[in-house]
Amino acid sequence: MQQKPQGKRFHKSNMSSQDEFPQDLCDDGGLACSQTRKQRTGFGEYSQLDNNSDTSEITDMDTVLIFPLMETKLYKRRWLMLFIFSAYSMSNAFMWLQYSIIGDIFMRFYNIDSLAIDWLSMIFFLTYIPLILPVMWVLDNRGIRDLVVVGAAFNCIGAWIKTGTAHPDMFAMTLFGQFVCSIATVFILSIPSRLASLWFGQHEVSTACAVGVLGNQMGIAIGFLLPPILVPNVDDVDELAYYIRIMFYTSAGVATLIFILVVIVFQEKPELPPSQSQVQARSTPPEENSYMSSILRLLRNKPFMLLMVSYGLNVGCFYSISTLLNRMIIDQYPGEEVNAGRIGLTIVVAGMAGSLICGIWLDKTKTYKQTALAVYVLSLIGMVIYTFTLNLGHLWVVFVTAGTLGFFMTGYLPLGFEFAVELTYPESEGTSSGLLNCSAQIFGIIFTISQGKIIDRWGTFAGNIFLCIFLLIGSVLTGLIKSDLRRQKANLQQTEVRTVSPTGSVTSGKDYGATATVHWQRQS
């Protein structure tokens, strides 16, 4: 009878528990540590190593894998998923601003005051706060496709409700239509970082997140540009109703087309994960990432909490400026409704460029905190310059200063999302993004109401100084954030290769292939 070959034996004197697996792979609760005692003997088969024995046996197989062999792949259709989501986000963002940028026209048409017009925008902030927790639960339990389909449906329904409100007596119904559209926003704002992680590789994930945010910014830009063009400030109420009806039907048609596209084309996730961090995320048992425990862990994460407050302050200022821009420009330059829209467009287009540049920069450098702090401080500087130049009487100066402000303030949006994902991995990207946006909505309501009251009583200059103070506070908070890039560590963990010689010595290396696995290898 043929004798069964014996494998090599290594004593603990030669291979400690720390030698068995690198200590740096055990940081931050990584999946690696939970599997250091598992030994792969076949594809999908594991045998448990004896924790109490003095020796552990390496079989005659040339390679024994600790992690399951999982291939990673980038699919070309990832860009189609990103484009569809961006179009959906664009449509909804247009709904948000289509009233406030021509607020003086709608105030006369519906015979309402400025606060009522502000609420047509602030209803988006107010709706988000109570609905974000259940929507994040849906994202974690049903997936990204269901969330996008339901959100696109709400966006479409709200747009069609508003088509019947082009009459002076229909303000309550148009507010209801805005409310329905605002529900769709809850299904949008947490998606970019989640979509980027599910479909894009580690060297393009920040750029993808920035492109996802660009859709929302594009909608805001169109919301600044088109309403003053589509709805001119005419005296005849019937003629004005005709122009308003055209705007409503156009936005409803676009929302319907996007909804159909989402239902037919949009997919949940690719068959194979795009990165090693997603390999770990897919391998983690669902019970280890329960929804409420994830929320509690995030609330105990001090760096994330600092980021959540600072992000809310920055984006809340942007929301307030966007909502009240028409009032600020008309106060200093009467009769310039069209230019108010163009200034808003300048803010957002510059911000789109800033977002894209920040995304590319993060993918190249991975300097999340440094970039976040620099952009935040430059947002503060831009706000100060805008505040002190708004009343000079030269519109071209306002265009330049507003563009500078928008480049940094709006460019901060995807940067905050990606920094949050790094600080909170392996928690769900949708959960961290949802909490960031919840903070932004709360501060958006506070800042919009407060700045509006200050403008009414003390003027535009005082209202802008009010925002500058909070941007200064946000800059200080950003500087206090400890940079703990957990997702980057996870990607590096899976590329670590440890080779064991017959004498028990250990050598280390990196494997940057598409399929990076940690393994023990016996040299012959």
Side-chain angles (χ1 to χ4, degrees):
M1 186 174 68
Q2 185 177 6
Q3 184 178 4
K4 182 179 178 181
Q6 297 295 319
K8 295 285 185 180
R9 292 182 178 270
F10 298 99
H11 293 276
K12 283 204 180 276
S13 60
N14 292 332
M15 186 189 306
S16 68
S17 60
Q18 288 183 345
D19 285 330
E20 290 177 358
F21 211 84
Q23 181 63 37
D24 63 329
L25 303 192
C26 298
D27 293 339
D28 305 309
L31 181 64
C33 291
S34 66
Q35 299 194 24
T36 57
R37 292 292 178 179
K38 288 186 178 180
Q39 181 184 34
R40 183 158 181 173
T41 59
F43 208 79
E45 301 174 1
Y46 294 86
S47 63
Q48 192 74 20
L49 294 178
D50 185 4
N51 292 339
N52 299 319
S53 64
D54 290 334
T55 64
S56 57
E57 180 173 311
I58 303 298
T59 69
D60 278 351
M61 296 175 62
D62 287 337
T63 301
V64 181
L65 299 175
I66 288 180
F67 288 114
L69 180 63
M70 291 192 69
E71 181 184 0
T72 61
K73 182 178 179 180
L74 296 178
Y75 295 83
K76 292 182 179 179
R77 65 177 180 271
R78 69 192 186 278
W79 296 106
L80 179 60
M81 302 302 112
L82 188 59
F83 169 77
I84 293 173
F85 169 75
S86 296
Y88 155 48
S89 180
M90 176 189 69
S91 173
N92 185 255
F94 174 79
M95 307 286 186
W96 170 48
L97 276 179
Q98 65 182 165
Y99 292 95
S100 61
I101 195 58
I102 50 174
D104 55 326
I105 296 176
F106 276 108
M107 286 169 59
R108 180 166 55 85
F109 182 75
Y110 287 122
N111 193 25
I112 54 177
D113 60 15
S114 60
L115 183 60
I117 287 293
D118 293 342
W119 272 112
L120 287 171
S121 294
M122 289 191 296
I123 189 68
F124 280 68
F125 311 151
L126 187 63
T127 304
Y128 192 94
I129 297 169
L131 292 183
I132 183 55
L133 290 180
V135 168
M136 286 192 298
W137 182 89
V138 173
L139 177 61
D140 285 343
N141 289 273
R142 295 299 300 270
I144 192 174
R145 172 179 160 78
D146 286 353
L147 212 67
V148 173
V149 169
V150 173
F154 273 111
N155 190 56
C156 182
I157 293 169
W160 280 105
I161 290 174
K162 291 192 289 186
T163 58
T165 64
H167 189 277
D169 297 329
M170 299 295 289
F171 175 75
M173 184 58 69
T174 207
L175 179 61
F176 176 70
Q178 278 291 85
F179 167 71
V180 176
C181 290
S182 71
I183 296 176
T185 303
V186 189
F187 292 82
I188 292 175
L189 295 183
S190 302
I191 295 297
S193 57
R194 177 71 167 172
L195 179 65
S197 294
L198 284 175
W199 283 91
F200 290 83
Q202 62 173 312
H203 297 301
E204 59 186 12
V205 64
S206 297
T207 302
C209 181
V211 173
V213 174
L214 281 182
N216 189 268
Q217 295 174 349
M218 179 67 75
I220 296 173
I222 297 173
F224 279 128
L225 178 64
L226 286 187
I229 297 174
L230 295 176
V231 186
N233 194 358
V234 297
D235 294 330
D236 185 77
V237 175
D238 292 335
E239 185 181 1
L240 187 58
Y242 169 76
Y243 291 127
I244 292 173
R245 194 174 296 112
I246 290 177
M247 180 175 69
F248 286 160
Y249 272 102
T250 302
S251 58
V254 172
T256 303
L257 178 63
I258 292 172
F259 172 66
I260 295 172
L261 196 61
V262 166
V263 172
I264 296 175
V265 180
F266 196 84
Q267 297 177 349
E268 172 67 25
K269 60 184 178 182
E271 290 82 2
L272 296 174
S275 65
Q276 293 304 320
S277 60
Q278 277 300 300
V279 169
Q280 288 195 24
R282 292 192 184 190
S283 301
T284 303
E287 59 271 14
E288 293 186 11
N289 282 324
S290 68
Y291 176 65
M292 288 309 301
S293 62
S294 178
I295 294 288
L296 293 176
R297 284 193 297 269
L298 290 179
L299 295 179
R300 291 193 296 264
N301 186 328
K302 183 179 177 181
F304 174 72
M305 292 303 295
L306 288 172
L307 177 63
M308 188 172 78
V309 175
S310 63
Y311 181 90
L313 292 173
N314 188 298
V315 181
C317 288
F318 171 70
Y319 287 159
S320 181
I321 293 171
S322 300
T323 303
L324 302 175
L325 183 63
N326 176 267
R327 290 172 61 183
M328 288 190 284
I329 299 301
I330 297 301
D331 180 57
Q332 301 294 326
Y333 305 91
E336 295 289 352
E337 291 89 356
V338 174
N339 274 322
R342 291 172 179 167
I343 291 171
L345 175 66
T346 302
I347 291 175
V348 178
V349 170
M352 291 167 63
S355 295
L356 195 57
I357 291 173
C358 284
I360 295 172
W361 174 258
L362 289 182
D363 279 331
K364 295 291 185 182
T365 67
K366 307 300 181 183
T367 54
Y368 290 87
K369 178 182 176 179
Q370 297 91 323
T371 306
L373 182 59
V375 171
Y376 214 120
V377 172
L378 291 171
S379 298
L380 169 61
I381 295 173
M383 187 66 200
V384 171
I385 295 174
Y386 171 78
T387 299
F388 282 90
T389 58
L390 182 60
N391 60 355
L392 294 181
H394 302 291
L395 268 175
W396 70 268
V397 175
V398 179
F399 273 93
V400 172
T401 57
T404 303
L405 172 64
F407 181 87
F408 296 110
M409 181 174 284
T410 314
Y412 179 78
L413 297 176
L415 176 57
F417 286 155
E418 284 297 287
F419 196 13
V421 173
E422 291 291 339
L423 293 175
T424 61
Y425 181 86
E427 310 298 342
S428 168
E429 298 88 347
T431 305
S432 60
S433 298
L435 291 176
L436 287 186
N437 282 312
C438 187
S439 174
Q441 311 308 312
I442 293 172
F443 283 113
I445 293 175
I446 295 172
F447 289 165
T448 302
I449 294 176
S450 301
Q451 189 184 18
K453 295 293 185 183
I454 292 173
I455 290 174
D456 290 339
R457 185 165 183 178
W458 290 292
T460 302
F461 180 82
N464 288 331
I465 289 293
F466 168 78
L467 297 184
C468 289
I469 293 172
F470 285 98
L471 285 175
L472 176 60
I473 295 173
S475 299
V476 174
L477 293 178
T478 302
L480 297 176
I481 297 174
K482 179 182 178 182
S483 184
D484 182 14
L485 306 183
R486 300 182 178 186
R487 183 174 61 180
Q488 294 304 310
K489 291 180 181 179
N491 282 319
L492 291 176
Q493 283 177 5
Q494 290 280 26
T495 61
E496 187 76 25
V497 176
R498 308 267 294 180
T499 304
V500 183
S501 69
T503 62
S505 62
V506 180
T507 59
S508 298
K510 298 283 185 181
D511 178 9
Y512 291 101
T515 306
T517 57
V518 182
H519 61 274
W520 299 98
Q521 185 176 42
R522 193 186 64 155
Q523 296 179 347
S524 57

